[in-house]
Amino acid sequence: MVSNTDSSEALAQRLSDSGLRSTPQREVIYSVLLKKRDHPTAEDVFARAKPEMPMISLATVYNCLETLVQCDLVRAVNFERGPTRYCPNLRPHAHFHDEATGATHDIELPPGMLDQVKAVLPPHFDATSVEIIFRGKAPSKA
Amino acid sequence: MVSNTDSSEALAQRLSDSGLRSTPQREVIYSVLLKKRDHPTAEDVFARAKPEMPMISLATVYNCLETLVQCDLVRAVNFERGPTRYCPNLRPHAHFHDEATGATHDIELPPGMLDQVKAVLPPHFDATSVEIIFRGKAPSKA
DNA sequence: CTTCATATTTAGAATAGTTCTTATTCCTTG
DNA sequence: CAAGGAATAAGAACTATTCTAAATATGAAG
Ligand SMILES: [Mn+2]
Ligand SMILES: [Mn+2]
Ligand SMILES: [Zn+2]
Ligand SMILES: [Zn+2]
């Protein structure tokens, strides 16, 4: 189990590595993402942060999420044109979008899978990232 | 080479299979997509359709594109939160988004690649579709 | 052919999610 | 303690898209 202070120290470290400050808002938002990893939207994060920090604004939530994405502590995930969702899972993984429930599941990828997929690229296509999105029906209990 | 009448007959067939009518607007929009396969946005399609049909409205372009997607004649493609792009390539393929130019390239997939990727899914995850998106630098001439 | 019912198109209003602007507050450093 | 930059907050603005409502086209039935 990762303690609260561990993760906020990790956060502070990453932020200062990027020349940014650690702030109460950034800490609350990162902790919200770590606490419930269900790929919340910015509005979801806003709602979850408010009880802990009633004066926080939606603009700040967007700013902080963007900052966390820039620091590579969080991934932004998009399905079609729905609201962006945020994911603190840094391991290489794909996303499964359950069309019945709207839920998003992480699909861990075996090592080498991403390279295997990149191998389909013709010569001189140089990919900095590969994203895999599944859509369908997920098991009820997952 | 696919003749204009061939493709508009194929379109008429697909539409009537879905209980829909073939209309001049739908034909123009489909032909615009076939003519230049650079993954245009709805606005791009609107601009390209106008010379042939000056009275066409943007709402109709959206309506027709949606119809073509429903009929499985066209794929809608999204990158982050940019405008939706439209692709008439029906073969299984991935997309490569060139971050320098903004261009989108089709990446043909060897047969079996999608099944290979689906094989990473844990039991009881039933995917109806798999989408693969690359991001990076494409060769200048492609 | 007409008539009628319905599908489609159109123009513009409305919407959702996000970004921008500006003023204020908060730190950090000298 | 200043000064200066960084960050936040509130609300306006923006973009792509969808919705609404009225007009038009189409096609089946008589
Ligand atoms: Mn997506
Ligand atoms: Mn996308
Ligand atoms: Zn995830
Ligand atoms: Zn394509």
Side-chain angles (χ1 to χ4, degrees), chain A residues 39 75 77 87-89 93-95 104-106:
Chain A
H39 302 81
R75 271 174 65 177
V77 182
C87 171
N89 179 353
H93 68 282
H95 288 107
T104 300
H105 304 273
D106 281 352

PDB file of all heavy atoms in Angstrom, chain A residues 39 75 77 87-89 93-95 104-106, ligand 3:
ATOM      1  N   HIS A  39     -11.194   6.256 -13.659  1.00  0.00           N
ATOM      2  CA  HIS A  39     -11.112   7.134 -14.829  1.00  0.00           C
ATOM      3  C   HIS A  39     -12.156   8.236 -14.782  1.00  0.00           C
ATOM      4  O   HIS A  39     -12.985   8.367 -15.690  1.00  0.00           O
ATOM      5  CB  HIS A  39     -11.207   6.324 -16.120  1.00  0.00           C
ATOM      6  CG  HIS A  39     -10.144   5.271 -16.242  1.00  0.00           C
ATOM      7  ND1 HIS A  39     -10.236   4.055 -15.619  1.00  0.00           N
ATOM      8  CD2 HIS A  39      -8.960   5.282 -16.883  1.00  0.00           C
ATOM      9  CE1 HIS A  39      -9.155   3.346 -15.879  1.00  0.00           C
ATOM     10  NE2 HIS A  39      -8.358   4.066 -16.639  1.00  0.00           N
ATOM     11  N   ARG A  75      -2.410   9.947 -17.010  1.00  0.00           N
ATOM     12  CA  ARG A  75      -2.718   9.878 -18.441  1.00  0.00           C
ATOM     13  C   ARG A  75      -4.112  10.412 -18.704  1.00  0.00           C
ATOM     14  O   ARG A  75      -5.037  10.127 -17.951  1.00  0.00           O
ATOM     15  CB  ARG A  75      -2.684   8.424 -18.934  1.00  0.00           C
ATOM     16  CG  ARG A  75      -1.332   7.952 -19.398  1.00  0.00           C
ATOM     17  CD  ARG A  75      -1.337   6.475 -19.718  1.00  0.00           C
ATOM     18  NE  ARG A  75      -2.194   6.115 -20.842  1.00  0.00           N
ATOM     19  CZ  ARG A  75      -2.290   4.867 -21.316  1.00  0.00           C
ATOM     20  NH1 ARG A  75      -1.596   3.889 -20.750  1.00  0.00           N
ATOM     21  NH2 ARG A  75      -3.075   4.614 -22.336  1.00  0.00           N
ATOM     22  N   VAL A  77      -7.350  10.195 -21.071  1.00  0.00           N
ATOM     23  CA  VAL A  77      -7.923   9.138 -21.917  1.00  0.00           C
ATOM     24  C   VAL A  77      -9.203   9.657 -22.554  1.00  0.00           C
ATOM     25  O   VAL A  77     -10.052  10.227 -21.859  1.00  0.00           O
ATOM     26  CB  VAL A  77      -8.252   7.893 -21.075  1.00  0.00           C
ATOM     27  CG1 VAL A  77      -8.803   6.785 -21.950  1.00  0.00           C
ATOM     28  CG2 VAL A  77      -7.037   7.426 -20.301  1.00  0.00           C
ATOM     29  N   CYS A  87      -6.335   9.043 -15.584  1.00  0.00           N
ATOM     30  CA  CYS A  87      -5.899   7.721 -15.138  1.00  0.00           C
ATOM     31  C   CYS A  87      -4.505   7.829 -14.542  1.00  0.00           C
ATOM     32  O   CYS A  87      -3.578   8.259 -15.224  1.00  0.00           O
ATOM     33  CB  CYS A  87      -5.877   6.818 -16.368  1.00  0.00           C
ATOM     34  SG  CYS A  87      -5.142   5.215 -16.116  1.00  0.00           S
ATOM     35  N   PRO A  88      -4.329   7.457 -13.278  1.00  0.00           N
ATOM     36  CA  PRO A  88      -3.015   7.551 -12.642  1.00  0.00           C
ATOM     37  C   PRO A  88      -2.188   6.272 -12.806  1.00  0.00           C
ATOM     38  O   PRO A  88      -1.107   6.166 -12.223  1.00  0.00           O
ATOM     39  CB  PRO A  88      -3.381   7.765 -11.172  1.00  0.00           C
ATOM     40  CG  PRO A  88      -4.640   6.986 -10.988  1.00  0.00           C
ATOM     41  CD  PRO A  88      -5.364   7.011 -12.326  1.00  0.00           C
ATOM     42  N   ASN A  89      -2.671   5.311 -13.582  1.00  0.00           N
ATOM     43  CA  ASN A  89      -1.934   4.065 -13.809  1.00  0.00           C
ATOM     44  C   ASN A  89      -0.844   4.324 -14.842  1.00  0.00           C
ATOM     45  O   ASN A  89      -1.140   4.614 -16.002  1.00  0.00           O
ATOM     46  CB  ASN A  89      -2.917   2.999 -14.308  1.00  0.00           C
ATOM     47  CG  ASN A  89      -2.231   1.665 -14.597  1.00  0.00           C
ATOM     48  OD1 ASN A  89      -1.006   1.559 -14.544  1.00  0.00           O
ATOM     49  ND2 ASN A  89      -3.035   0.660 -14.896  1.00  0.00           N
ATOM     50  N   HIS A  93      -0.682   0.184 -20.445  1.00  0.00           N
ATOM     51  CA  HIS A  93      -1.960  -0.524 -20.452  1.00  0.00           C
ATOM     52  C   HIS A  93      -2.892   0.037 -21.503  1.00  0.00           C
ATOM     53  O   HIS A  93      -2.723   1.163 -21.959  1.00  0.00           O
ATOM     54  CB  HIS A  93      -2.611  -0.498 -19.055  1.00  0.00           C
ATOM     55  CG  HIS A  93      -3.079   0.860 -18.607  1.00  0.00           C
ATOM     56  ND1 HIS A  93      -2.234   1.821 -18.118  1.00  0.00           N
ATOM     57  CD2 HIS A  93      -4.313   1.394 -18.563  1.00  0.00           C
ATOM     58  CE1 HIS A  93      -2.935   2.897 -17.784  1.00  0.00           C
ATOM     59  NE2 HIS A  93      -4.211   2.665 -18.058  1.00  0.00           N
ATOM     60  N   ALA A  94      -3.875  -0.783 -21.866  1.00  0.00           N
ATOM     61  CA  ALA A  94      -4.902  -0.364 -22.818  1.00  0.00           C
ATOM     62  C   ALA A  94      -6.164  -0.040 -22.032  1.00  0.00           C
ATOM     63  O   ALA A  94      -6.225  -0.256 -20.813  1.00  0.00           O
ATOM     64  CB  ALA A  94      -5.159  -1.484 -23.817  1.00  0.00           C
ATOM     65  N   HIS A  95      -7.157   0.497 -22.736  1.00  0.00           N
ATOM     66  CA  HIS A  95      -8.427   0.790 -22.078  1.00  0.00           C
ATOM     67  C   HIS A  95      -9.578   0.045 -22.734  1.00  0.00           C
ATOM     68  O   HIS A  95      -9.627  -0.080 -23.957  1.00  0.00           O
ATOM     69  CB  HIS A  95      -8.680   2.302 -22.069  1.00  0.00           C
ATOM     70  CG  HIS A  95      -7.780   3.000 -21.104  1.00  0.00           C
ATOM     71  ND1 HIS A  95      -6.716   3.770 -21.498  1.00  0.00           N
ATOM     72  CD2 HIS A  95      -7.771   2.982 -19.752  1.00  0.00           C
ATOM     73  CE1 HIS A  95      -6.080   4.209 -20.410  1.00  0.00           C
ATOM     74  NE2 HIS A  95      -6.701   3.751 -19.341  1.00  0.00           N
ATOM     75  N   THR A 104     -14.888   2.335 -17.572  1.00  0.00           N
ATOM     76  CA  THR A 104     -13.597   2.177 -18.238  1.00  0.00           C
ATOM     77  C   THR A 104     -12.713   1.253 -17.410  1.00  0.00           C
ATOM     78  O   THR A 104     -12.566   1.460 -16.207  1.00  0.00           O
ATOM     79  CB  THR A 104     -12.898   3.542 -18.362  1.00  0.00           C
ATOM     80  OG1 THR A 104     -13.735   4.406 -19.126  1.00  0.00           O
ATOM     81  CG2 THR A 104     -11.548   3.413 -19.032  1.00  0.00           C
ATOM     82  N   HIS A 105     -12.152   0.250 -18.061  1.00  0.00           N
ATOM     83  CA  HIS A 105     -11.282  -0.696 -17.351  1.00  0.00           C
ATOM     84  C   HIS A 105      -9.866  -0.652 -17.911  1.00  0.00           C
ATOM     85  O   HIS A 105      -9.688  -0.558 -19.128  1.00  0.00           O
ATOM     86  CB  HIS A 105     -11.832  -2.118 -17.507  1.00  0.00           C
ATOM     87  CG  HIS A 105     -13.240  -2.267 -17.039  1.00  0.00           C
ATOM     88  ND1 HIS A 105     -13.560  -2.555 -15.733  1.00  0.00           N
ATOM     89  CD2 HIS A 105     -14.419  -2.137 -17.684  1.00  0.00           C
ATOM     90  CE1 HIS A 105     -14.881  -2.606 -15.607  1.00  0.00           C
ATOM     91  NE2 HIS A 105     -15.430  -2.357 -16.766  1.00  0.00           N
ATOM     92  N   ASP A 106      -8.902  -0.754 -17.021  1.00  0.00           N
ATOM     93  CA  ASP A 106      -7.515  -0.882 -17.463  1.00  0.00           C
ATOM     94  C   ASP A 106      -7.263  -2.319 -17.899  1.00  0.00           C
ATOM     95  O   ASP A 106      -7.681  -3.264 -17.228  1.00  0.00           O
ATOM     96  CB  ASP A 106      -6.570  -0.541 -16.301  1.00  0.00           C
ATOM     97  CG  ASP A 106      -6.427   0.966 -16.100  1.00  0.00           C
ATOM     98  OD1 ASP A 106      -6.933   1.729 -16.935  1.00  0.00           O
ATOM     99  OD2 ASP A 106      -5.804   1.362 -15.101  1.00  0.00           O
TER     100      ASP A 106
HETATM  101 ZN    ZN E   3      -6.176   3.604 -17.325  1.00  0.00          ZN
END
